[in-house]
Amino acid sequence: MRTQVGIVGAGPAGLLLAEILHRQGVDSIVVEKHSRAHVLGRIRAGVLEPTTVDVLRENGLAARLDREGHVHDGVRIVRAGGGGFLIDIHRHCGKKFVAYGQTNLQEDLFAAADKRGARIITEAADARIEGTSIVFEAGRVDGDFIAGCDGFHGVSRSAIPKLREFEKVYPFGWLGILSETPPLREIAYCHSPRGFALASQRSPMLSRYYLQVPLDTRIEDWPDAKFWAEIKARFPRDWADAIATGPSIEKSIAPLRSYVAEPMQHGRLYLAGDAAHIVPPTGAKGLNLAVSDVYYLARALAEHYRTGSMALLDAYSETALRRVWASVRISWYLTMLLHRFPDASAFDQRAQEVELEILEASPQAQAALAEQYAGLPL
């Protein structure tokens, strides 16, 4: 099969790229190694930056988001012993973000692709990249360009020689549950001597909670009753009393890491999303970075087919990485600020607590944090 842009991966990055390219008159074919059901079954976070929401609206993908998404002024940081503050992006940046599950966005993207009859090949076993072709067990897709949107464990990144890799692996993970219970009124990060905790939401009757846990934690050792008791023990009393408990409908453990691969392009192959970078979920940047990568790449490809220029394509990696590193830094900062590190000294812990006290007391520090949390303009 022949196309202009071959896209590896049918996650949010791949399908969004295909949709934007279609609206710009550029043809593409998406190749995905998993089934559609598998892709739709992934449970991921869904805090959307204002720029992400703008990109989705501009491309006709926000109808359901505007109906069902939950708009927030910011996120709350609370401390187990009391106190806390709002990372108020509305006050400091004039913007708001939206809580909208990545699973919902994935459904929206498949629906848009089906509506226009997009060419998506799923269950493409043993895919690999050869020049500007995607070769798999049942066939091949030949293109002018290849976009690697196949995630951290995909094949695209390995096709770029002489990568420079930057990585930090954190000595803990997040145990998360999804529960059909009403969420707290605000998304809240909790700093506690027992470890970090997070209360998030997906809908008026769907809550998402996380606990910092050791890397060797097993899900079977965490029945629901134990999870609810622990998260209530970490939050301040007034917040804990407001947590509605109930049976979990999904439970998982995710390790935390920061990772960036440079450059994000080689020849006519371009990486986007988790194929090029991973951020700890503390900063809520993973999906948003995928969208900004796609925005830059789609703009560059459309410009090429419109004018023949390679200027934006040649500058893609440098352009995307400026935003990537800003997001990686704020995600690292919040991870270091809010978690209990197993090898932390008494000095380290006290310095962390003082940093939180400074943030709570300083409107200027809060404004700087809100600006970074909101995400840089595209």
Side-chain angles (χ1 to χ4, degrees):
M1 289 176 284
R2 175 73 193 173
T3 188
Q4 290 173 306
V5 181
I7 300 173
V8 188
L15 290 190
L16 178 60
L17 178 60
E19 189 66 27
I20 297 176
L21 289 177
H22 170 74
R23 295 172 71 89
Q24 297 293 325
V26 179
D27 185 57
S28 67
I29 298 176
V30 179
V31 178
E32 167 61 50
K33 71 176 180 179
H34 296 294
S35 67
R36 178 183 290 213
H38 178 92
V39 175
L40 286 168
R42 296 169 180 154
I43 303 294
R44 297 288 188 272
V47 176
L48 306 184
E49 293 176 359
T51 50
T52 294
V53 175
D54 290 343
V55 169
L56 295 173
R57 285 179 179 151
E58 289 165 5
N59 290 280
L61 296 165
R64 183 182 175 197
L65 164 65
D66 287 334
R67 290 195 312 269
E68 301 179 11
H70 293 265
V71 179
H72 292 271
D73 289 343
V75 299
R76 183 76 58 177
I77 292 180
V78 300
R79 291 186 288 160
F85 61 94
L86 181 70
I87 306 177
D88 195 337
I89 68 169
H90 180 57
R91 175 188 173 191
H92 296 295
C93 308
K95 302 174 181 178
K96 298 191 176 188
F97 70 84
V98 181
Y100 186 68
Q102 183 171 316
T103 303
N104 293 347
L105 178 58
Q106 186 75 65
E107 292 171 351
D108 299 342
L109 289 166
F110 268 121
D114 291 342
K115 185 176 180 179
R116 63 180 174 82
R119 291 188 287 176
I120 303 174
I121 302 167
T122 58
E123 301 181 75
D126 299 323
R128 65 187 184 277
I129 295 171
E130 295 182 358
T132 57
S133 298
I134 306 167
V135 181
F136 50 98
E137 190 175 86
R140 64 186 291 140
V141 170
D142 301 315
D144 302 327
F145 301 95
I146 300 296
C149 305
D150 51 345
F152 185 73
H153 299 290
V155 300
S156 298
R157 188 173 64 255
S158 63
I160 295 184
K162 299 181 180 178
L163 273 178
R164 188 176 183 192
E165 298 177 287
F166 303 84
E167 184 173 32
K168 180 176 180 62
V169 177
Y170 300 93
F172 42 72
W174 278 13
L175 170 63
I177 70 166
L178 199 62
S179 173
E180 291 177 324
T181 52
L184 296 179
R185 65 188 182 276
E186 293 180 283
I187 296 174
Y189 295 160
C190 180
H191 177 270
S192 166
R194 302 176 70 97
F196 171 81
L198 168 62
S200 188
Q201 56 186 244
R202 295 293 176 269
S203 74
M205 275 301 296
L206 195 60
S207 302
R208 186 72 163 162
Y209 291 97
Y210 296 95
L211 291 172
Q212 174 189 345
V213 293
L215 287 172
D216 59 357
T217 297
R218 302 186 308 165
I219 291 177
E220 54 266 34
D221 294 333
W222 281 87
D224 289 350
K226 181 180 177 180
F227 182 94
W228 292 121
E230 181 60 27
I231 202 161
K232 284 176 172 283
R234 295 189 186 188
F235 269 91
R237 180 63 181 272
D238 55 337
W239 287 81
D241 289 345
I243 294 175
T245 64
S248 64
I249 58 174
E250 189 271 341
K251 193 178 293 180
S252 59
I253 296 176
L256 270 63
R257 64 155 49 91
S258 299
Y259 173 87
V260 181
E262 297 183 8
M264 291 172 59
Q265 65 188 89
H266 175 72
R268 293 197 164 204
L269 167 64
Y270 302 85
L271 303 181
D274 287 358
H277 41 73
I278 294 287
V279 289
T282 327
K285 296 299 181 188
L287 176 58
N288 295 295
L289 273 184
V291 171
S292 65
D293 289 350
V294 165
Y295 172 86
Y296 294 130
L297 183 53
R299 181 182 66 176
L301 288 164
E303 177 71 9
H304 169 75
Y305 283 109
R306 188 165 50 247
T307 70
S309 172
M310 289 289 291
L312 290 179
L313 282 168
D314 289 343
Y316 166 71
S317 181
E318 181 181 356
T319 302
L321 282 168
R322 282 197 294 268
R323 204 169 193 276
V324 167
W325 273 109
S327 295
V328 168
R329 196 212 72 83
I330 188 60
S331 299
W332 162 82
Y333 171 75
L334 289 171
T335 303
M336 300 296 291
L337 176 68
L338 297 170
H339 291 76
R340 303 293 278 193
F341 283 75
D343 60 349
S345 67
F347 177 93
D348 296 330
Q349 293 179 10
R350 186 67 185 119
Q352 187 185 66
E353 292 161 2
V354 169
E355 176 77 1
L356 284 165
E357 291 167 4
I358 291 170
L359 282 168
E360 186 172 353
S362 170
Q364 293 81 8
Q366 291 178 29
L369 180 56
E371 183 179 32
Q372 297 168 75
Y373 192 86
L376 298 178
L378 292 171

